[in-house]
Amino acid sequence: MADFKTTARLLAVTAVMVAHQGFAFAQMPQQQPDAKAFKLGKFDIVALHDAQFVQPNDGKIFGLDHSPTEVADLLKAAGAPTDTVTLSVDALLVKSDRHLVLIDTGVGGALQGSLAKAGYRADAVDEILITHSHPDHVGGLVLNGKLAFPNATIRMSETEWSYAKANEKLADIVKVIADHVKTFKPGGEVVPGITSVALSGHTPGHVGYQIKSGKERLFDIGDTVHSSIISLAKPEWAISFDGDKPEAEQNRVKTLTTLAKSHERIFAPHFPFPGVGYIAAEGDHFKWTPNDKSE
Ligand SMILES: [Zn+2]
């Protein structure tokens, strides 16, 4: 029963996450593999599902400087349950004629199953780009104490790698991946067609990845946003996951404003699977328009 192992592992990683970020998951539904493929210019893109977390609306995660009732009002207006907030954990696969690139690796949930469902093997991934070193983005790098993607170079910003190495709770992961990590300064091309973009506040070296092929673009904005409802309705509200909250709030408002104007397609790893779509301005805030079709 692979399911038992996966669940045990997921709970272990989740425990790390709880200890690290100071929050608890109310429920841990079964993690089901899912994959959604589409074209972006010459690239084949696949959104890969890893996990689904249901968090309590208890004032400890979302809207820290506001009441659960205010958060519930936003959820209600969006037609969602008001006592919990559901976040997906997803990753993005980008296949070009030269590379098979995975952006983030989930918490170690259903990602490997999702990759198989999409028709790819883990040993075919030759590049892994990390947005930041939280366990729900780097947890899938290691499987049973070994590299989960044995032939991949693992890239992250140099600031983020320093931050990860200083985090004792990531020691087991850091030890396994250390010889395979290459760092970069944000702002340049990391693999052909993919450029890193500094998006500050969530962690010290958090970046997004801009994917371009011909005239088409897709911007993986990492954890600039978390809930497709709360992060867009109230981007200026503090969330417990952000390391530097004022900086993260400023970055969130600025990034969303830019994206609403540019009408650029994005991938948000915690938005409802597959997390692909557009940000639109709506009054003094924003709204989410899912769109995962090939253009
Ligand atoms: Zn995250």
Side-chain angles (χ1 to χ4, degrees), residues 17 21 89 131-132 134 136-137 202 222-223 225-226 241 269-270:
M17 204 167 166
Q21 300 192 327
V89 178
T131 59
H132 65 293
H134 279 163
D136 54 323
H137 299 258
H202 183 62
D223 281 14
V225 289
H226 291 85
F241 306 145
H270 296 310

Side-chain angles (χ1 to χ4, degrees), residues 61-274:
I61 302 174
F62 297 95
L64 289 182
D65 33 12
H66 296 264
S67 69
T69 312
E70 286 175 89
V71 173
D73 287 346
L74 298 178
L75 296 168
K76 193 177 173 189
T82 56
D83 54 345
T84 55
V85 180
T86 299
L87 298 184
S88 195
V89 178
D90 304 316
L92 201 62
L93 190 76
V94 183
K95 183 181 179 294
S96 70
D97 53 358
R98 290 161 67 183
H99 294 287
L100 187 59
V101 185
L102 181 61
I103 305 180
D104 285 338
T105 66
V107 70
L111 187 76
Q112 292 282 346
S114 298
L115 192 65
K117 191 174 177 178
Y120 294 95
R121 293 168 53 110
D123 61 7
V125 174
D126 64 338
E127 293 282 352
I128 294 176
L129 311 182
I130 297 296
T131 59
H132 65 293
S133 62
H134 279 163
D136 54 323
H137 299 258
V138 298
L141 285 171
V142 175
L143 193 60
N144 302 322
K146 294 189 178 135
L147 289 170
F149 302 93
N151 300 316
T153 301
I154 300 162
R155 300 183 195 272
M156 68 183 87
S157 76
E158 54 186 25
T159 308
E160 194 64 16
W161 180 229
S162 299
Y163 174 64
K165 284 188 291 186
N167 181 354
E168 279 173 26
K169 300 195 175 76
L170 286 181
D172 288 348
I173 291 176
V174 165
K175 194 171 63 186
V176 175
I177 68 172
D179 289 347
H180 302 266
V181 172
K182 288 204 170 126
T183 62
F184 57 79
K185 284 193 201 303
E189 194 171 57
V190 282
V191 297
I194 306 182
T195 302
S196 66
V197 180
L199 295 170
S200 52
H202 183 62
T203 60
H206 180 262
V207 299
Y209 293 101
Q210 181 75 253
I211 307 157
K212 286 184 205 165
S213 178
K215 286 182 184 167
E216 294 198 39
R217 288 171 171 225
L218 181 67
F219 189 8
D220 181 335
I221 63 170
D223 281 14
T224 300
V225 289
H226 291 85
S227 158
S228 61
I229 300 167
I230 303 157
S231 300
L232 299 190
K234 298 290 177 188
E236 70 282 13
W237 283 11
I239 176 165
S240 68
F241 306 145
D242 287 336
D244 182 335
K245 292 173 181 60
E247 177 83 20
E249 287 152 40
Q250 209 176 24
N251 171 61
R252 187 158 44 245
V253 172
K254 189 179 127 202
T255 304
L256 292 172
T257 304
T258 305
L259 292 170
K261 279 188 190 141
S262 66
H263 200 62
E264 180 179 350
R265 191 148 60 150
I266 69 156
F267 171 75
H270 296 310
F271 277 14
F273 182 80

